[in-house]
Amino acid sequence: MDTSLTPEQDGVRRALRDLLESRCGPHALRAALDTPSGHDPALWTALAERLGLPGLALPETYGGVGCSVTELALACEETGRVLAPSPLLATTVLAAALIAALGTAAQREELLPRLASGAVTAALAVDGTVLATALALTGGNGGDWAGGGRAGGVQARRTADGWRLYGQADQVLDGHSAGLLVVAAHTGGYTRPRTLLFLVPGDAAGVARARRTTVDATRPQGRVHLRDVEARLLGEEGSDVTGALAEIGDRAAAVLACEAVGAAGRALERTVEHVGRREQFGRPIGSFQAVKHRLADVYVEVQAARSAAYYAAWAAAHGERAGGLALAQALRAQRTASAEAVQFHGGLGFTWEHEAHLYFKRAAGDELLLGPVHRLRAHAAGAARLFEAEAPGTGEVRV
């Protein structure tokens, strides 16, 4: 792969960074977090109208820009730097990608232009505790994560008029504010169990939603109750839903790896700036050898994670899968960089007014939602058959 950015990619990053620096400072971020949705509508409108960010990786046929997932990942590295409060992850990376992959021609023509323009936001209604499983990041997604016929999750039943949904999904990314819900539901009971995806308007009759209190307020989540809600099936009934979720999951992992690297890099930048100013014993603490060694270790970890994330983003655009392992490395780097930021800022880093704790909470929240790191690595190693070897002279595989 060529690690240098094309002029178009560099232009997208520069334009996005300029916009975010002017519209997404610390005060604007905190103001957005206090709104009912947890987002800044003006920022989302600017991202859509000036840069076309919601439709960056969608085909031009449906009002998108027509770029690949690589450009979307590079853009998310910039949004990660400032912890931008927007529905980009839920709307563009997850929901819109699923509609593009599974939707019928009529569904794509109806929904994708509205999502690409930013006029409508969307959310994948899967309980946050099983999101990594649903996307096949920490294990196979062929199990009962959508409900399994037991209490919990969301159940779907066919009626004479179509499909009806009943159940609950907690910790849904932007589930409290999205205009469109893509709901994963279990159907078929015990005899023919399977998972299907359904389209439900956010204001449909029988839908009750509420914002949840989360560790990371910059990544708002909601609880979604469905009580005998009329729904439309996404795509055809025989579609490979779990396969599409796994493919979208790998792409999402590559995008999120770049986003985590952006946050980790910014946390490190702020820490380096601080230790260059803070004095102890008459000299900046950044001149102490122990401080230099610790920050050098963080720098190496962040750069290694950035390389892995860039490769995963390139691979996703070329039909290869490397997102899970890259995400594991990026989450670890994000955790290390944010923890060291709090540590080196001393008493200042623990205050509510300083932004260091926001980066630390983003690292914790991402790992709770998409990890943990050791499970991401274990699943990637298993998929690559890393710990399997052929027994000498037998032709059998030995674990």
Side-chain angles (χ1 to χ4, degrees), residues 291-309:
V291 173
K292 291 179 180 180
H293 286 175
R294 285 175 62 177
L295 292 181
D297 289 341
V298 176
Y299 176 80
V300 170
E301 190 166 350
V302 171
Q303 290 301 104
R306 178 173 281 113
S307 296

Side-chain angles (χ1 to χ4, degrees), residues 121-372:
T121 60
L124 174 61
V126 174
D127 192 283
T129 59
V130 297
L131 180 60
T133 301
L135 297 176
L137 295 177
T138 57
N141 64 351
D144 60 359
W145 53 269
R150 300 189 298 272
V154 179
Q155 309 295 320
R157 62 183 178 87
R158 191 197 298 271
T159 66
D161 299 327
W163 290 91
R164 314 291 291 192
L165 303 183
Y166 186 95
Q168 175 176 311
D170 287 323
Q171 302 178 20
V172 177
L173 288 172
D174 298 327
H176 59 295
S177 61
L180 175 68
L181 299 174
V182 180
V183 184
H186 179 273
T187 187
Y190 289 103
T191 57
R192 299 178 58 190
R194 63 194 188 279
T195 299
L196 297 175
L197 295 177
F198 297 88
L199 298 171
V200 177
D203 58 355
V207 176
R209 304 184 292 174
R211 184 177 177 182
R212 292 177 56 95
T213 300
T214 58
V215 172
D216 177 19
T218 66
R219 190 91 82 188
Q221 301 174 17
R223 178 186 291 112
V224 179
H225 292 270
L226 302 165
R227 296 293 180 266
D228 198 30
V229 175
E230 183 179 357
R232 285 191 297 161
L233 181 67
L234 176 61
E236 305 294 339
E237 193 166 341
S239 301
D240 182 11
V241 172
T242 56
L245 283 168
E247 185 174 352
I248 297 302
D250 183 80
R251 295 179 185 176
V255 172
L256 290 167
C258 286
E259 184 191 70
V261 164
R266 182 55 178 162
L268 177 59
E269 290 173 11
R270 293 296 303 271
T271 306
V272 171
E273 293 171 1
H274 179 73
V275 299
R277 296 191 304 265
R278 180 185 173 191
E279 292 189 358
Q280 193 171 13
F281 306 113
R283 55 189 291 193
I285 63 172
S287 64
F288 299 151
Q289 190 175 43
V291 173
K292 291 179 180 180
H293 286 175
R294 285 175 62 177
L295 292 181
D297 289 341
V298 176
Y299 176 80
V300 170
E301 190 166 350
V302 171
Q303 290 301 104
R306 178 173 281 113
S307 296
Y310 282 5
Y311 175 76
W314 175 88
H318 290 79
E320 301 178 19
R321 293 192 178 186
L325 193 57
L327 179 59
Q329 192 160 354
L331 291 180
R332 178 178 172 85
Q334 184 181 22
R335 181 176 59 189
T336 301
S338 60
E340 291 289 57
V342 172
Q343 189 78 11
F344 278 114
H345 279 82
L348 180 64
F350 286 89
T351 61
W352 183 258
E353 291 75 18
H354 199 274
E355 61 181 335
H357 72 95
L358 295 177
Y359 286 89
F360 185 81
K361 290 176 180 177
R362 168 60 68 89
D366 278 359
E367 193 164 348
L368 286 172
L369 191 66
L370 303 164

